[in-house]
Amino acid sequence: MTATDRAISEAVTLANCEDEPIHLPGAIQPHGAMLAFNQDGTVVAYSENFSQLLGFEVVENVKLRAVEAGSTVMDLLSEGLAANGVWANSAETHLNGQTFDVVGHIHDNVVYLEFEPRPPVSASFSTFAQYAQRIITQVQMCNDVDTLLASVTEEIRRMTGYDRVMAYRFRPDQSGEVVAEARREDLVSYLGQRYPASDIPAQARRLYIQNPIRLIADVAYTSAAIFPARNPANGSPFDLSFSTLRSVSPIHCEYLSNMGVQASMSVSLVVKGKLWGLFACHHMAPKTLPHPVRMSFQVCSHVCSAMVERLEANRMNDIQHKAERRLAELVRQVREADDMLAALAKPELNIAELMPCDGAAAVLGGRILSMHGDFGEIALELIAELQKNENQDMYYSEKWEHNASDAASQRYCGVLAVRFHRDEGGWMLWFRMEEVHKVQWAGKPEKIVAQGPSGARLTPRGSFEAWEEVVRGRSAPWTEQDFSVAEKLRLELLELCLNRAAEIDRMRQRLIATLGHDLRNPLQSISMAAALLKSSDVRSVELREHITYSSSRMERLISQILEMSRLQAGSDIVVNCVPTDISQLVQAIVDETLLAYPDLLLDIDIQPGLQANVDPDRYAQVAVNLLSNARHHKTPASPVNIVLTEQQGEVRLTIRNAATPLSEAQLATLFIPFKQQTNSPERNKGGLGIGLYICSAIARAHGSRIDVQQAEGVISFSVGIPVRS
C-alpha cells in the first residue's frame, strides 16, 4: 500500500475524482523533508526521509534539540510558535555539511518546517534578483495583456532554463488556452491549443491560488510518507495546503509523464481572487530551483497579477464608457420621442448598437420592430414563453433552441431578453448567431476509465497531439458588461414608462376637467337656442347659426381629441399626398377666416401658382390651426401676417403675430398637449392645447416640421413643403 493509501483510506474513484483530496496526500516530495510541531513545540509528525536527509533522528512527542537542529532552525521554530495563527517565513541553515532552505508556516494550529537541500546553481541569487527586476520593469511597461504574457514567458525561460514555458489564460468555461510560449526548438509547439477545465479541477485551482509557486522536481519520484498519517489531536490527516513539498496527485504525475515532462513549475496569475491564468514551466529531465529563486517568481506572480488586473480593468472601462455614452444618447432619444418603440429602433442609433450582437428586436403593445434582420417569429415565440413567468425580467442563453421556420432564423442560438413594461408586454431582445469555430485541443479532451489497484478510476490523456473539434450550436457568451448595459437600459425605460403613465393620468384628469369647461358653453348655447326655437320663430335664422357654430366647435374638439388619442397610442398621421395648388388652398382659408371674423386684421402676402404634393385636407388643417392660434394669442388691435412664398426649393407658409414674449420653458412645450395655458388670453383659457400637437404630427407625416421663432415681440410659425417639380 502506498503512503497516500495509508493516509487516506478513501480511494479516488469515478464518483469522487473531481473531489480528490489533493491537499491531504499524507506524503511529501522526497527532495526535501518535513517536521510538524504542536503549539507546545513537541514534534507531532515527520517525513520518513527526515533522518536520512538531515542526519539526525527526531522522536514523536519530543521537542527538537538545538544541538542537532542548530540555532537558526530553533529561532525560526520559536517565531512560528509565538505567532497568532497566521505565519510564514524562511531561513538558510547549514546541517551535516549541507546548506538547507528551511521554509516554515502555520496551519490549523500546526507549525510546519520544511527542509530543502540547496542544489548547486549556475547563476548567483543576485543574478536571479536582477532577472526578476527585469521582468517587473518589462511588465510595468506593457500596455496590453497579450504583450505582457509573451514578454514574461520569454523572460521566465531565460531565467530558469526550462525546456518549455507556456502562458495559459483561462476562458469563461474554465478551459485553458496557451496564449504564449517559449520552448526548445526541437519541441512541438502547443501555442493556441486548448486544455479542458477538467485538467485543473476545482480543488487544484484553490491550491494554485493559495500557493502561487508550485514545484515538481521529479515526476517519477517515490513519495516520502508522513508519520503518523493523522494528527493525534483531532484524528484528521495533516492539511498540507500551504506546503511547498506537498506530494502531487498520481493522476497529475501520470498526466505530465504522458506529455514527456519530468519536472515542472507553475506560477499563478490571480485576478480578483480567482485563478486567471498560469505560467507553466516544463522540463524533460528532473529539475529543481532553490527556494529563494522561487520566491523571486512569487514576487513576479504578484506584480504580473496586479498588472493583468489593471490592464483588464482599463480595457473593460473603455468598453463600458463607450457603451454608457451610446446608452445615454439612446435614452435621451427615447425621452424626446413620442413613440418609444420607434425611438429604440432608429437606424442611426438603436439597441443593437449597445453591445456586440447580430441583431435585435423591441416589442411593445403588440408591435415589434427588428434591427439588422427579421426577428418577429422567434422573438414572439420566446416572449410567449417568458410571459408565463411574471417574475422573470431577464433571460439569456448561448445555446437557445427555437422553432424557426426559415433557415436564416435558425442560425441564431444566442439571445438576451429584458422586460421593461409588464402591462404592455415591453421587451428588448438581442440575438447572436451560431459561432462555428475550430478548437485545437491538446489531445482529446476526455479522461479514460481504467482499472487500478483500487478499482475503476479516471486516467489522464495519453496523447497530446493536436485534436481538432468543430464547435456548433453555441453563440459567443454574454458577458457581465452585456448584462449591465441591458439592465441599465431596462431601468431607464421602466422609469420612463412610469413617468409617462403618471403623465397620462394627469392628462386624463385635465382632459375631463377641460372637456367640462369647453363643452359647457356650446352645449348651453345649443340648449338655449333650441328652447327659443320652440317658443318663437322671430330669430330662427340667427338661432340656427348659433346651433351650427356651437355644434361645429364640439365636433372640432372631439375630432382633435380622437386624433390626439391615436397619436398617443403610437399611430402616425396618415396622409394622401396629391399635386395641390397651395396658393389657392391658403387663399381659400384666408377668405373663410375673414368671412367668419370680419374685424380681424390680416396682412396677406401670397405668391400665386405655388404647387406641392400634400394632403389638401391635412395641410388645410395645419394652416387653419396656425391662423387660429395667431388670432387667439395676438395682442389686441395688431394684425396677423400671412406669407406664402417659395424659398430654397420649398413652399413655405409663415404666420406671424405680435404677442407677449414666451419663456424658454413655454417655447419648449408648445407642441405638448394639455400644457398649462398660463400665458393664454382670457378668451382662450381652458383650451386643450392639442392643436399645435396635431399640426406638428401632420408636418412630420409630410416629411417636414413646424419652426417657431420670436423676436422683438413678434412670434412666427412656419412650415415648408418641397416644391413639386
Side-chain angles (χ1 to χ4, degrees):
M1 182 177 292
T2 66
T4 303
D5 293 330
R6 289 196 300 269
I8 304 170
S9 58
E10 184 181 15
V12 179
T13 66
L14 287 172
N16 63 18
C17 180
E18 292 300 316
D19 299 319
E20 180 185 359
I22 57 177
H23 61 301
L24 308 173
I28 63 171
Q29 298 180 60
H31 65 275
M34 173 184 285
L35 289 179
F37 299 86
N38 280 325
Q39 288 297 302
D40 61 2
T42 59
V43 175
V44 68
Y46 56 91
S47 62
E48 64 179 340
N49 64 340
F50 183 84
S51 59
Q52 178 183 355
L53 200 62
L54 274 297
F56 63 92
E57 299 282 346
V58 292
V59 180
E60 187 180 351
N61 296 323
V62 175
K63 291 187 177 181
L64 193 65
R65 294 188 300 174
V67 66
E68 294 175 330
S71 60
T72 301
V73 174
M74 298 306 293
D75 290 344
L76 190 64
L77 175 60
S78 297
E79 182 183 318
L81 294 173
N84 186 22
V86 178
W87 172 78
N89 203 354
S90 62
E92 176 186 314
T93 189
H94 300 275
L95 297 171
N96 197 25
Q98 173 72 48
T99 301
F100 287 88
D101 290 308
V102 187
V103 184
H105 74 278
I106 187 170
H107 187 55
D108 287 346
N109 294 319
V110 177
V111 176
Y112 296 91
L113 295 184
E114 299 176 80
F115 298 79
E116 293 186 40
R118 177 80 60 78
V121 293
S122 56
S124 65
F125 291 149
S126 61
T127 302
F128 279 101
Q130 292 173 0
Y131 279 146
Q133 181 61 41
R134 176 174 172 174
I135 287 180
I136 294 172
T137 301
Q138 289 190 356
V139 163
Q140 292 173 335
M141 296 173 62
C142 292
N143 294 320
D144 63 89
V145 172
D146 292 338
T147 302
L148 182 151
L149 296 177
S151 176
V152 175
T153 299
E154 291 286 350
E155 287 299 324
I156 290 178
R157 182 161 189 264
R158 182 181 292 111
M159 286 176 63
T160 62
Y162 277 99
D163 291 331
R164 185 199 306 271
V165 179
M166 297 175 288
Y168 285 84
R169 180 171 182 170
F170 294 110
R171 298 168 61 88
D173 63 358
Q174 299 302 318
S175 65
E177 183 177 3
V178 180
V179 294
E181 180 185 51
R183 58 183 172 83
R184 234 171 50 193
E185 291 185 359
D186 60 313
L187 296 179
V188 175
S189 175
Y190 290 159
L191 184 63
Q193 290 191 0
R194 189 89 63 83
Y195 292 76
S198 58
D199 278 11
I200 306 180
Q203 68 273 29
R205 292 175 185 271
R206 176 178 62 83
L207 293 177
Y208 276 124
I209 294 172
Q210 292 175 338
N211 298 299
I213 309 300
R214 178 68 165 143
L215 177 76
I216 303 176
D218 186 354
V219 166
Y221 72 89
T222 299
S223 62
I226 296 176
F227 292 104
R230 295 177 180 272
N231 189 341
N234 53 28
S236 300
F238 289 97
D239 188 335
L240 303 184
S241 294
F242 296 91
S243 166
T244 62
L245 294 172
R246 185 184 70 248
S247 191
V248 185
S249 164
I251 292 180
H252 185 59
C253 288
E254 186 177 346
Y255 177 95
L256 292 174
S257 295
N258 290 344
M259 296 180 74
V261 175
Q262 291 300 304
S264 74
M265 183 179 72
S266 62
V267 181
S268 303
L269 291 173
V270 180
V271 174
K272 294 183 178 180
K274 296 182 179 180
L275 187 63
W276 185 92
L278 286 173
F279 292 107
C281 308
H282 289 171
H283 207 61
M284 306 310 159
K287 182 179 178 65
T288 187
L289 290 177
H291 179 263
V293 174
R294 302 202 303 272
M295 288 305 95
S296 67
F297 284 107
Q298 186 157 330
V299 174
C300 293
S301 168
H302 293 317
V303 173
C304 289
S305 297
M307 280 298 299
V308 166
E309 183 168 348
R310 193 183 82 179
L311 292 172
E312 285 289 274
N314 290 343
R315 184 179 68 85
M316 293 306 299
N317 285 339
D318 288 342
I319 294 174
Q320 183 175 349
H321 289 159
K322 291 177 182 177
E324 287 180 350
R325 283 197 298 270
R326 289 193 294 266
L327 177 60
E329 292 173 7
L330 181 62
V331 170
R332 190 181 310 113
Q333 177 174 290
V334 174
R335 288 185 186 279
E336 295 173 354
D338 294 327
D339 188 342
M340 177 183 290
L341 192 68
L344 291 171
K346 282 189 174 181
E348 57 272 18
L349 178 61
N350 54 62
I351 61 174
E353 313 302 323
L354 297 181
M355 65 183 71
C357 68
D358 297 303
V363 183
L364 181 63
R367 296 167 62 207
I368 179 167
L369 295 178
S370 297
M371 288 140 272
H372 308 316
D374 182 4
F375 303 101
E377 180 185 0
I378 57 177
L380 294 177
E381 176 190 336
L382 176 61
I383 291 174
E385 188 65 28
L386 295 178
Q387 291 283 80
K388 297 176 182 178
N389 186 350
E390 294 184 357
N391 299 319
Q392 186 172 20
D393 291 327
M394 178 179 287
Y395 170 82
Y396 67 93
S397 175
E398 287 96 42
K399 47 180 181 179
W400 172 47
E401 296 181 358
H402 50 84
N403 299 313
S405 58
D406 62 294
S409 296
Q410 292 172 3
R411 296 179 298 166
Y412 296 94
C413 58
V415 65
L416 169 60
V418 294
R419 172 162 41 191
F420 65 91
H421 200 306
R422 193 174 302 276
D423 295 335
E424 295 290 333
W427 287 86
M428 293 176 294
L429 305 98
W430 291 267
F431 301 96
R432 285 178 178 170
M433 288 185 180
E434 176 186 45
E435 191 178 73
V436 180
H437 58 274
K438 297 178 180 179
V439 178
Q440 292 285 341
W441 292 102
K444 275 196 173 185
E446 60 188 27
K447 291 180 180 178
I448 303 168
V449 179
Q451 291 294 325
S454 301
R457 68 182 182 89
L458 294 180
T459 63
R461 299 190 302 279
S463 171
F464 289 86
E465 292 183 3
W467 182 79
E468 187 174 88
E469 178 186 16
V470 178
V471 179
R472 302 191 67 97
R474 298 183 72 97
S475 72
W478 302 100
T479 66
E480 291 299 325
Q481 175 68 25
D482 299 331
F483 299 142
S484 175
V485 169
E487 179 63 11
K488 286 179 181 178
L489 180 56
R490 187 186 77 84
L491 294 176
E492 290 281 1
L493 295 182
L494 184 61
E495 180 183 0
L496 184 57
C497 290
L498 291 174
N499 290 340
R500 287 191 175 182
E503 179 63 22
I504 289 172
D505 187 60
R506 289 193 295 270
M507 290 168 61
R508 186 181 296 113
Q509 294 176 13
R510 195 176 300 165
L511 172 63
I512 293 172
T514 309
L515 279 176
H517 179 279
D518 273 30
L519 290 177
R520 186 183 298 117
N521 289 339
L523 280 173
Q524 185 177 5
S525 177
I526 291 171
S527 298
M528 291 177 63
L532 289 172
L533 280 173
K534 288 180 180 180
S535 61
S536 173
D537 292 334
V538 176
R539 301 171 57 202
S540 60
V541 174
E542 182 181 352
L543 292 175
R544 281 195 295 270
E545 289 178 353
H546 275 297
I547 291 174
T548 301
Y549 175 74
S550 298
S551 300
S552 298
R553 278 190 64 195
M554 292 174 62
E555 183 179 359
R556 287 197 303 273
L557 182 62
I558 293 170
S559 296
Q560 286 185 339
I561 291 171
L562 290 175
E563 285 202 323
M564 186 216 64
S565 298
R566 286 194 291 269
L567 288 171
Q568 291 287 318
S571 299
D572 294 328
I573 292 285
V574 178
V575 294
N576 182 23
C577 294
V578 296
T580 303
D581 189 322
I582 303 294
S583 300
Q584 289 184 3
L585 181 62
V586 173
Q587 186 63 56
I589 293 170
V590 169
D591 293 342
E592 290 176 3
T593 303
L594 286 174
L595 183 64
Y597 304 98
D599 296 332
L600 180 64
L601 298 176
L602 295 181
D603 182 6
I604 306 168
D605 181 9
I606 299 177
Q607 182 178 336
L610 297 180
Q611 300 281 328
N613 286 323
V614 298
D615 184 319
D617 293 336
R618 290 297 192 181
Y619 189 89
Q621 189 176 353
V622 173
V624 168
N625 271 281
L626 293 180
L627 186 54
S628 175
N629 184 69
R631 178 173 57 82
H632 277 109
H633 294 280
K634 74 181 184 66
T635 57
S638 64
V640 175
N641 178 240
I642 303 172
V643 179
L644 183 71
T645 61
E646 180 181 340
Q647 298 179 9
Q648 298 178 347
E650 286 185 335
V651 177
R652 181 160 292 275
L653 173 65
T654 303
I655 298 179
R656 301 185 184 93
N657 62 276
T660 302
L662 300 178
S663 67
E664 291 295 328
Q666 289 172 320
L667 285 172
T669 59
L670 277 177
F671 299 100
I672 297 178
F674 301 113
K675 54 187 172 291
Q676 296 289 346
Q677 301 290 346
T678 56
N679 205 42
S680 298
E682 183 64 31
R683 56 187 152 175
N684 194 44
K685 279 191 179 291
L688 293 178
I690 60 179
L692 288 178
Y693 173 70
I694 295 173
C695 287
S696 177
I698 294 173
R700 286 199 306 272
H702 281 86
S704 182
R705 68 176 185 177
I706 298 177
D707 295 316
V708 183
Q709 293 181 348
Q710 68 172 358
E712 300 179 353
V714 175
I715 187 167
S716 66
F717 293 79
S718 67
V719 58
I721 303 293
V723 174
R724 183 168 68 91
S725 57

